[in-house]
Amino acid sequence: MAGKAFQMTKSERAFDIFLYVFLTLVMIVTLYPFLNVLAISLNESTDTVRGGIYIWPRAFTLENYERIFSYTGLIQGFKISLLRTISGTLLGLISASMLAFTLSRPEFRARKFVSVFLALTMYFSGGMVPMYILMRDMNLIGTFWIYILPGAVSAFNVFIIRSFMDGLPFALQESAKLDGANDFKIFYKIILPLCKPVLATIALFLAVGQWNEWFTTYLYNGNKAHLTTLQYELMKVLATTNQGSGMVNANDMAQQMAQISPESIKMAITIVVTVPILVVYPFLQKYFVGGMTLGAVKA
Amino acid sequence: MIVKALTENGVTANESVTPHPPAKRKRSGFWSSVLQQKYLYLMSLPFVIWVFIFSYVPVWGWLMAFQKYKPAKSFSEQEWVGLANFKELFQDERFYLVLRNTLAMSILGLIVGFVVPILFAVLLNELRGSIFKRTVQTVSYLPHFVSWVVVGGIVYKTLSIDGGIVNDLLIWMNVIDEPIQFMAQGKYFWGVVTAADIWKETGWNAIIYLAAITGIDKELYEAAKVDGAGRIKQMFNITLPGIRSTIMVLLIMNIGHLIGIGFEKQFQLQNNLVTDYSEVLDLYALKYGIQISRFSYGTAISMFTSVVSVILLFTANGVMKKLTKESIM
């Protein structure tokens, strides 16, 4: 009996060691590429060619960053990316929270219809080509609006917020109603302030989606120099090593500039594109974990 | 993904919560109830129209697949060609190559991309409440937040033949003598895409399973301990069965996405040397539909993808319902 207990703790300990070693390895594999990119971006570009830079720069310099910030395409891209992230997130929050609120009102007569109407969009989509034709027919190609209008209402986000609202005490709304408040007032005075955690989650989803999106620019706005986004600019620069990954719109000045840009410059741009989101996400962690959980446990 | 279950539950849950029987209101006229709920209509109707335009109208555009669409003409002036576009599609050898690539990468992604996050969550759960656990978790989310453009750059860098860490390590460990050209050979492409996806999304996808694990009754573990079950035994006999329904729901959703796996990773990782392995249905539609303005042909491809997705989803749902009593609709 005693022997058996001893054996168990021994195997338990072995399991513990395995667990820590394995998960440490996972962390290293996750983090290494980022550290590598950072190190190369801080290394003198002529020195980088010699290779052998892993997680620490050999010849430290900030010159790469100075050079990329003098590149107007990047500044331009940063502005558009910021603008679409802010406006797209706001629009997405407004639409999702309003729809969620109407769906959380049990007496709303069109509730079932709206609910099914939205849910269906999660299962089918017209596909890339019909969407392209629609955008063309609506004259949205070559405009800023194409970044924020088509995806402004997301059924997924509506249902997450709705399920959070369902968890709020209903008595609050009832008493406000007795006081003569209309539905819109109940929405923004009572319900919205209580929804801060789930709104933070959705805001993060929307912002990340907007900031990281590149295909819309590639397909619709690639030849509009004043509308390209940061991701697209990075893509053009990176494409010069990736043996032209299907880039068709990139025969402009930026492309030529990219052709001569060495490894370190590319990595510096990668850092600039990545950092804004990486700075934010650890602080929002408890919110998005909560938001994801909201779906999981019910399922 | 999991939201469908949410909507169902939401609707029924709400019905039972409603404290006032709406019998009286139902007798009053339609318009008076609209008037009474005018704010609710005002808050939802604009967005319903919005969804109609951007999600439903493109489906109407499927009609183009049966036409010989010319951009300059109006809808009624288009020439109808029946199934000609589909015939051409199903006779194109390239289409079968593309279909093979799509299915290969999605099935690889389904198997690996499904098992790894579950294992990761179960292992992470064994580190109960430590700082180490929180650190691993925070780090594991990180790649989810970067774009496929950035991940594409990182993958090319990591697998490069001059100075890429993977080749350097393999040479250092004497596994290989010469660096492998991972990105220039088609046979590696599916593996590279799957590995990149695992690197990017494992931590994020594990969130749902971790949450489900928290919902398992703690007494079960206590009882198992008394019975002398070790932690590994507990993992297989309590933790995994405990999140079974979450696993099933996500499996159904993933099968629904089998053919519509997207194209972002393939687009960012591909190059001219590997197109025979990297081209998936959406990229095929992009290349042979939009970029050379054969919109009707492209629509036929899009329509094929969407319809097969829905069929797969319903089939998966039906089979799972029969086998395990779990379903999403």
Side-chain angles (χ1 to χ4, degrees):
Chain A
M1 198 59 193
K4 198 184 166 199
F6 176 68
Q7 257 184 356
M8 226 161 65
T9 48
K10 209 171 155 191
S11 77
E12 296 269 282
R13 200 163 297 156
F15 180 68
D16 256 342
I17 292 168
F18 158 78
L19 210 57
Y20 277 87
V21 171
F22 178 76
L23 290 173
T24 307
L25 272 176
V26 169
M27 274 207 288
I28 292 172
V29 171
T30 311
L31 283 178
Y32 172 79
F34 292 104
L35 296 174
N36 185 230
V37 169
L38 186 64
I40 293 174
S41 77
L42 291 169
N43 200 54
E44 272 177 20
S45 51
T46 45
D47 179 76
T48 306
V49 184
R50 283 170 49 212
I53 309 256
Y54 296 105
I55 58 168
W56 205 253
R58 189 166 44 217
F60 181 84
T61 180
L62 286 174
E63 201 198 309
N64 301 314
Y65 287 93
E66 279 163 30
R67 272 182 62 190
I68 60 169
F69 281 118
S70 67
Y71 165 39
T72 49
L74 202 71
I75 309 290
Q76 165 62 38
F78 190 84
K79 272 187 211 154
I80 294 292
S81 284
L82 200 64
L83 199 60
R84 71 175 283 187
T85 302
I86 293 170
S87 53
T89 305
L90 278 178
L91 194 58
L93 277 180
I94 293 169
S95 69
S97 57
M98 278 195 179
L99 277 171
F101 174 71
T102 61
L103 292 184
S104 75
R105 305 286 305 183
E107 79 276 17
F108 181 40
R109 278 207 156 180
R111 195 173 62 119
K112 203 126 205 190
F113 166 76
V114 175
S115 182
V116 171
F117 191 77
L118 281 175
L120 279 177
T121 65
M122 298 197 297
Y123 295 105
F124 71 86
S125 77
M128 188 189 285
V129 181
M131 199 64 187
Y132 182 88
I133 303 286
L134 180 69
M135 294 298 105
R136 219 198 37 189
D137 290 349
M138 293 180 80
N139 288 320
L140 287 173
I141 295 179
T143 67
F144 178 76
W145 299 109
I146 204 163
Y147 292 133
I148 54 171
L149 294 187
V153 183
S154 148
F156 183 85
N157 294 345
V158 171
F159 291 129
I160 287 194
I161 299 178
R162 201 276 291 274
S163 116
F164 184 89
M165 285 175 174
D166 283 346
L168 298 173
F170 195 72
L172 277 174
Q173 302 189 35
E174 286 297 281
S175 63
K177 202 145 205 188
L178 289 178
D179 290 344
N182 66 44
D183 285 321
F184 187 67
K185 222 171 195 167
I186 295 175
F187 167 66
Y188 79 84
K189 279 248 162 84
I190 297 172
I191 302 298
L192 266 198
L194 291 171
C195 286
K196 263 183 209 149
V198 74
L199 293 179
T201 310
I202 300 300
L204 181 76
F205 289 172
L206 288 164
V208 170
Q210 282 285 348
W211 183 264
N212 283 343
E213 207 272 345
W214 52 273
F215 186 68
T216 307
T217 321
Y218 168 77
L219 186 60
Y220 301 106
N221 288 350
N223 54 359
K224 294 265 185 289
H226 64 289
L227 284 174
T228 60
T229 54
L230 206 49
Q231 299 289 344
Y232 185 69
E233 293 296 327
L234 172 68
M235 200 172 133
K236 284 199 288 190
V237 173
L238 287 176
T240 54
T241 39
N242 303 0
Q243 292 144 17
S245 56
M247 300 282 302
V248 287
N249 298 323
N251 304 317
D252 52 315
M253 211 190 86
Q255 176 80 339
Q256 272 143 36
M257 182 175 160
Q259 241 137 32
I260 50 157
S261 33
E263 206 56 30
S264 289
I265 297 280
K266 288 174 186 165
M267 295 303 122
I269 299 181
T270 306
I271 292 290
V272 170
V273 172
T274 313
V275 154
I277 281 195
L278 297 193
V279 170
V280 185
Y281 96 88
F283 300 100
L284 289 168
Q285 191 170 330
K286 67 169 183 204
Y287 291 123
F288 68 70
V289 171
M292 293 291 284
T293 313
L294 211 57
V297 176
K298 275 208 169 183
Chain B
M1 309 167 280
I2 3 86
V3 161
K4 182 59 208 167
L6 265 177
T7 52
E8 293 301 309
N9 283 0
V11 171
T12 42
N14 246 332
E15 241 76 78
S16 54
V17 165
T18 319
H20 40 75
K24 228 181 207 169
R25 219 172 278 166
K26 262 195 181 137
R27 239 173 271 138
S28 62
F30 172 72
W31 291 111
S32 75
S33 92
V34 170
L35 202 67
Q36 203 179 4
Q37 303 179 341
K38 59 180 179 289
Y39 287 101
L40 294 178
Y41 281 98
L42 281 174
M43 286 164 80
S44 58
L45 206 60
F47 299 116
V48 168
I49 296 169
W50 203 312
V51 169
F52 177 77
I53 293 173
F54 290 108
S55 297
Y56 284 79
V57 172
V59 178
W60 167 254
W62 281 358
L63 284 177
M64 261 190 318
F66 307 100
Q67 296 175 329
K68 197 175 173 189
Y69 181 81
K70 291 254 168 58
K73 295 183 188 167
S74 76
F75 182 79
S76 54
E77 291 166 351
Q78 302 291 345
E79 183 192 338
W80 292 88
V81 294
L83 294 171
N85 288 309
F86 288 97
K87 257 183 210 150
E88 196 188 336
L89 179 66
F90 294 135
Q91 275 166 8
D92 183 8
E93 270 173 47
R94 187 90 199 155
F95 168 73
Y96 293 99
L97 190 76
V98 167
L99 192 60
R100 176 203 70 177
N101 294 341
T102 309
L103 287 174
M105 279 183 266
S106 55
I107 290 171
L108 265 177
L110 182 68
I111 298 168
V112 188
F114 195 69
V115 173
V116 173
I118 296 174
L119 282 180
F120 181 68
V122 170
L123 286 181
L124 205 56
N125 181 57
E126 292 299 315
L127 306 168
R128 292 198 176 91
S130 62
I131 296 173
F132 184 70
K133 179 184 178 181
R134 255 174 289 152
T135 317
V136 175
Q137 242 181 315
T138 307
V139 168
S140 75
Y141 303 144
L142 194 146
H144 171 78
F145 291 98
V146 299
S147 70
W148 273 108
V149 180
V150 171
V151 175
I154 283 177
V155 169
Y156 267 90
K157 186 97 209 64
T158 312
L159 297 178
S160 109
I161 48 165
D162 43 13
I165 185 82
V166 173
N167 273 317
D168 281 6
L169 272 179
L170 288 176
I171 289 175
W172 181 72
M173 293 189 300
N174 285 322
V175 179
I176 50 173
D177 301 321
E178 297 230 325
I180 300 172
Q181 296 202 326
F182 286 106
M183 302 311 286
Q185 293 180 56
K187 61 177 173 181
Y188 293 120
F189 191 81
W190 297 345
V192 169
V193 165
T194 310
D197 210 21
I198 296 290
W199 180 77
K200 192 174 187 297
E201 303 296 345
T202 294
W204 184 257
N205 290 339
I207 292 180
I208 290 177
Y209 300 113
L210 278 168
I213 290 172
T214 354
I216 298 173
D217 192 354
K218 295 281 172 295
E219 276 174 35
L220 288 174
Y221 291 102
E222 295 301 320
K225 236 179 256 167
V226 174
D227 288 347
R231 274 159 74 192
I232 298 168
K233 244 191 183 150
Q234 290 175 30
M235 259 163 52
F236 283 101
N237 294 330
I238 301 174
T239 312
L240 279 176
I243 57 173
R244 191 169 148 273
S245 65
T246 308
I247 293 176
M248 287 305 163
V249 168
L250 288 174
L251 187 63
I252 298 170
M253 299 302 291
N254 282 336
I255 290 172
H257 290 139
L258 209 52
I259 191 166
I261 49 169
F263 56 94
E264 279 198 74
K265 31 186 182 274
Q266 286 82 7
F267 189 103
Q268 295 297 344
L269 292 171
Q270 75 181 351
N271 58 61
N272 295 333
L273 299 169
V274 298
T275 40
D276 282 354
Y277 292 87
S278 65
E279 212 158 76
V280 289
L281 281 166
D282 274 330
L283 289 180
Y284 182 70
L286 177 70
K287 208 164 157 186
Y288 298 98
I290 296 175
Q291 283 174 351
I292 55 172
S293 295
R294 291 179 66 201
F295 296 118
S296 284
Y297 190 62
T299 306
I301 305 167
S302 288
M303 193 177 153
F304 173 81
T305 313
S306 296
V307 170
V308 174
S309 291
V310 172
I311 292 173
L312 280 174
L313 185 71
F314 277 86
T315 315
N317 191 54
V319 171
M320 288 291 173
K321 212 171 186 172
K322 274 246 165 66
L323 289 180
T324 67
K325 309 268 183 297
E326 301 288 347
S327 79
I328 55 167
M329 19 195 172

